[in-house]
Every structure is written in structure tokens, then in C-alpha cells.
Amino acid sequence: MSKTYSSMAVTTKIQVKEYLKEYIIGKFNNCVEGPVRFPDALDLYHVIWDLLEKRSVNAIDTGNLEIILPKRDCGKAPEVYNYLGLRSQKVIERRINTMMWAELHTLLDENKHEHGINYILSVHYFMRTYAIDSISEDAFLKNFYRWRDKIRRKNKKRAYSR
């Protein structure tokens, strides 16, 4: 547990995939390295608060993403409940992953169908907005195409003829 940042906020570190770390720092910290504070209106804020548990004696904070723990008026005090175990970190990572892909898919669809902007330019914009460098544009596009095919699957595939 480390006490840093404004007004001695309690922070902890969690391990997430590098591109998710870059996305979160870009989205909530304006691409500035440091502890990330999630807005209390965000579902992820409440998920983290629910997952907080008492720190065991031998628990050490390791990870690539430092987050400021939620502080509510009543309930768990972050000074006592300030540990996120491996299972909790995986839950948070999945939530961040879902948030990122949902935002990307919405952006790509909206830009293509409402503004006529092609997918590669939209992906490039998304990556530059959040300073994401650890994953390729191609990976974002492939994920979008897989998602689109799965969601918009036609009932019957057309027959191929030679």
C-alpha cells in the first residue's frame, strides 16, 4: 500500500495487459503516467470498491497500473481495505478490456456510418487519443471485424459457384 497523490489518497498497483494500461492512463489521466482516479459514476469504480479486501501481512503491491482506491462516505475504509488479489485483478482487467473494445467498436461504427470515415483512420485516431503503442492497428481492426461478423451474422451464407 502506498499513500501518494493529492490529499494522501490510498493507491494500489494491479497487473493488466500493457495496451489496457495505456488505454486507462490515456482515458482517465490524459496520457500522463501516475495513479489513475476513476470517476465515481463509472461502473468500474464500484466494481473495484466491491472487490477490495483486507491486506494480508505478506501482501506486496506489484503491477503496471497504479490506481487510487475508491473512498466512500460509509463502508470500507481504503486505509484498511486496500488489497486486490489476483482474482480481483482479473475481474478488473476483464472490465477494462470490455470497456475499451466497446468504445472502439462504437467509434468505428459511428465514424463509418455517420461520418464516412474509414476504419483504419478511426483506429489510428483511437490509438493516438489514448497513446496506445503496445498493440498494432491491425489487431484492433481484426478484433472489430471478428466482432462485426459475430454480431451481424447472416442467417444463411451465400453459395459459392465456380
Side-chain angles (χ1 to χ4, degrees):
M1 171 183 72
S2 60
K3 293 184 179 192
T4 57
Y5 208 59
S6 63
S7 72
M8 296 300 288
V10 180
T11 65
T12 191
K13 290 184 176 183
I14 62 171
Q15 184 66 40
V16 296
K17 293 175 182 158
E18 190 63 28
Y19 65 90
L20 295 177
K21 173 194 167 218
E22 293 167 351
Y23 168 72
I24 288 297
I25 289 174
K27 185 167 183 72
F28 297 107
N29 254 16
N30 295 322
C31 302
V32 177
E33 286 288 332
V36 177
R37 182 184 303 273
F38 295 108
D40 64 352
L42 196 65
D43 182 50
L44 186 58
Y45 176 93
H46 298 283
V47 168
I48 292 169
W49 190 77
D50 286 341
L51 293 172
L52 289 174
E53 55 190 70
K54 285 185 178 179
R55 179 175 297 278
S56 64
V57 177
N58 58 354
I60 300 171
D61 282 343
T62 59
N64 60 352
L65 179 63
E66 187 173 10
I67 59 174
I68 298 173
L69 297 178
K71 184 169 176 106
R72 314 282 296 166
D73 291 338
C74 60
K76 301 175 183 177
E79 293 80 16
V80 178
Y81 294 88
N82 54 28
Y83 181 69
L84 294 165
L86 290 177
R87 183 190 65 82
S88 299
Q89 290 181 36
K90 290 297 177 197
V91 169
I92 294 167
E93 183 179 41
R94 279 195 309 268
R95 290 291 181 116
I96 293 170
N97 191 50
T98 301
M99 183 190 328
M100 184 192 74
W101 291 116
E103 183 176 345
L104 176 71
H105 296 162
T106 302
L107 175 75
L108 292 176
D109 260 351
E110 185 177 297
N111 281 352
K112 177 69 173 182
H113 301 295
E114 292 184 20
H115 307 294
I117 301 170
N118 67 16
Y119 294 136
I120 192 72
L121 291 176
S122 296
V123 167
H124 183 73
Y125 169 78
F126 183 83
M127 291 178 71
R128 291 306 111 216
T129 300
Y130 297 126
I132 299 173
D133 295 322
S134 62
I135 189 171
S136 69
E137 290 177 357
D138 213 27
F140 279 114
L141 283 172
K142 285 180 181 180
N143 177 282
F144 175 73
Y145 294 143
R146 281 188 215 106
W147 171 80
R148 186 184 63 182
D149 289 345
K150 185 172 141 183
I151 296 301
R152 299 179 188 157
R153 181 172 287 149
K154 297 187 178 15
N155 291 341
K156 186 177 176 185
K157 289 189 176 184
R158 67 180 178 86
Y160 289 94
S161 59
R162 288 188 169 211

